[in-house]
Amino acid sequence: MTMTDSALFTTYARAPLAFERGEGAYLWSTDGRRYLDFMAGIAVNALGHAHPHLVEAVKSQAEKLWHVSNIFQIPDGERLAERLCEATFADRVFFTNSGAEAVEAAIKTARRYHFAKGQPERTRIVTVSGAFHGRTLATIAAGGQEKYLEGFGPKAPGFEQVAYGDDKALEHWIADPETAAVLIEPVQGEGGVRAFPLEVLKDLRRRCDETGVLLVLDEVQTGVGRTGHLFAHEAAGITPDIMAVAKGIGGGFPVGACLATAEAASGMVPGTHGSTFGGNPMAMAVANAVLDVVLDEDFLPHVRRVAGYLNQRLGGLVDSFPDVFADQRGTGLILGLKAKLPNTEIIAAAREEGLLVAGAGDNVVRLLPPLIITEAEVDAAVDLLERAAARVRAAHAAKGAA
Ligand SMILES: *Cc1c(COP(=O)(O)O)cnc(C)c1O
């Protein structure tokens, strides 16, 4: 079947490439080629492909129990929630199946908190330009990007967006008595791998504390070890009131979670929220297995070490190709190369060389390798990126000469 007569919605601009299997940081396509995977399903395959501990968790759970309704106890979900609370600021967890649902749960939790405290007028959620929070009707309103809102009817009310870096506007809305929460990604992923300075995060925490506005972090992409911390906000020495998590937490199995302090979650009483699939035994078994690995005391030090190495190698790449790359950004293993030539061409050239990398806003090439990568794999990836950069540069030089 060709692309045009596919029975699928045409919502994705898919590359003409399909994969059959994966192992660690590598994927094999259906036509037998090997690819080094430095996008990891957009930060989802945190432990790479076919990690033995996750494979074992899926197999043994599949033989026991897949799904029960949330009207019953789910012991593995209790255990996962306890472990997440033990490892973070949180006291309560609500499980979802995706990032957008985790953000939706976070938004509902924030509004419901103020409602329960007798301030039902506090509904406004303040976000920052360049944000990405998902594709549901509420999360496209939160993200505020016209390209995702267009044609889908009235934008859900109650969201206010300030320009990235406009501290005055942020301050203004935090002081407003109808503001419920500020919602931000500590490092904007889709938006172009833009990390908020740690001072800005600290300041935001302080201002929210002064006015009773809740601080909600979207760590769907930055969480579960991606930045070298279990969660990105730890680098700033702050804690949020509510946090959305997904992507890496399932290691490739759909799992999301909304974490909150007991206080922030106090409005979410029986009947206020629910999900048929959220927190099902399969998902809980896999996410517990992911935590087994990520919470090992050697894991995050490994991420920090290999991330430092990748960052250093990318610095060399930017220096060698000043006509292709403007700068490098990001932190840990969420890194970006701001391109001077179209990022789509660099991504396509990398793929032809056997390296998978993602795009991001602001003409950025985004690197999100599995957290288990080795220095040898970093060297291999940078070699392939060099070849891709040389190829794109040559193509543009030829065009310029013609
Ligand atoms: C991917 C992402 C989402 C949406 O997650 P889905 O699982 O696609 O719904 C939300 N926020 C951030 C920061 C993301 O990177």
Side-chain angles (χ1 to χ4, degrees):
M1 199 180 256
T2 66
M3 300 276 277
T4 44
D5 62 8
S6 167
L8 296 168
F9 270 36
T10 54
T11 46
Y12 301 107
R14 295 178 194 269
L17 183 57
F19 299 101
E20 193 161 74
R21 69 188 174 90
E23 193 184 317
Y26 286 94
L27 279 170
W28 281 263
S29 60
T30 46
D31 56 4
R33 237 191 120 185
R34 189 178 80 148
Y35 290 84
L36 183 50
D37 183 8
F38 265 48
M39 59 187 285
I42 317 284
V44 168
N45 306 97
L47 305 183
H49 300 278
H51 190 288
H53 189 60
L54 303 196
V55 171
E56 180 49 37
V58 170
K59 281 186 178 167
S60 66
Q61 186 61 41
E63 286 170 358
K64 288 190 288 190
L65 181 66
W66 291 24
H67 176 82
V68 290
S69 166
N70 277 309
I71 69 165
F72 302 108
Q73 310 279 323
I74 300 179
D76 279 349
E78 297 278 352
R79 180 161 164 262
L80 179 62
E82 270 168 29
R83 296 174 83 190
L84 287 170
C85 291
E86 178 74 26
T88 68
F89 72 96
D91 309 303
R92 299 274 187 273
V93 182
F94 181 89
F95 289 113
T96 70
N97 313 288
S98 69
E101 286 174 281
V103 176
E104 289 258 349
I107 293 166
K108 288 180 73 174
T109 301
R111 287 185 176 163
R112 186 76 196 186
Y113 165 79
H114 294 294
F115 173 86
K117 294 278 165 191
Q119 294 185 289
E121 72 285 356
R122 288 185 86 153
T123 56
R124 182 185 300 104
I125 310 291
V126 181
T127 64
V128 172
S129 64
F132 180 79
H133 297 297
R135 298 293 206 111
T136 62
L137 289 167
T139 55
I140 56 175
Q145 297 198 40
E146 197 44 49
K147 65 179 176 186
Y148 296 143
L149 285 159
E150 187 185 34
F152 295 114
K155 181 177 157 217
F159 296 90
E160 190 70 44
Q161 190 155 76
V162 304
Y164 183 94
D166 188 348
D167 290 340
K168 279 271 170 305
L170 200 52
E171 200 170 345
H172 167 82
W173 287 115
I174 291 175
D176 188 278
E178 291 186 2
T179 296
V182 173
L183 165 63
I184 61 161
E185 303 151 82
V187 183
Q188 289 188 342
E190 293 288 322
V193 192
R194 284 199 294 194
F196 279 91
L198 300 181
E199 282 311 313
V200 170
L201 293 177
K202 280 194 187 124
D203 204 43
L204 193 56
R205 175 70 275 179
R206 188 180 49 73
R207 283 196 207 146
C208 286
D209 285 340
E210 282 166 10
T211 56
V213 164
L214 297 177
L215 178 59
V216 182
L217 294 181
D218 180 345
E219 292 231 25
V220 168
Q221 192 162 148
T222 53
V224 199
R226 176 61 47 191
T227 64
H229 298 273
L230 188 58
F231 290 98
H233 65 263
E234 293 168 22
I238 60 153
T239 57
D241 299 293
I242 303 173
M243 175 169 72
V245 178
K247 294 201 165 104
I249 185 90
F253 201 89
V255 189
C258 174
L259 278 61
T261 63
E263 173 73 2
S266 58
M268 299 302 273
V269 297
T272 50
H273 198 41
S275 166
T276 297
F277 290 125
N280 71 75
M282 281 301 298
M284 299 298 96
V286 184
N288 269 308
V290 170
L291 283 194
D292 291 342
V293 177
V294 173
L295 295 179
D296 183 281
E297 61 180 7
D298 294 331
F299 190 82
L300 292 175
H302 163 80
V303 175
R304 287 197 280 268
R305 224 171 18 247
V306 79
Y309 184 62
L310 175 56
N311 205 36
Q312 176 203 326
R313 292 286 332 256
L314 292 179
L317 179 75
V318 172
D319 288 344
S320 309
F321 291 89
D323 41 356
V324 181
F325 299 114
D327 65 37
Q328 67 192 108
R329 340 160 140 186
T331 176
L333 289 177
I334 172 167
L335 294 168
L337 293 166
K338 161 97 176 149
K340 289 183 175 168
L341 300 176
N343 62 349
T344 48
E345 291 179 24
I346 298 166
I347 293 162
R351 196 188 302 135
E352 281 166 40
E353 295 292 344
L355 175 72
L356 305 177
V357 290
D362 205 20
N363 202 34
V364 164
V365 176
R366 186 168 31 151
L367 282 72
L368 298 159
L371 308 181
I372 48 110
I373 49 159
T374 61
E375 293 197 350
E377 285 159 349
V378 166
D379 286 333
V382 175
D383 281 354
L384 296 171
L385 270 175
E386 274 172 11
R387 285 200 235 165
R391 194 193 265 250
V392 174
R393 181 171 64 186
H396 276 262
K399 227 188 281 172

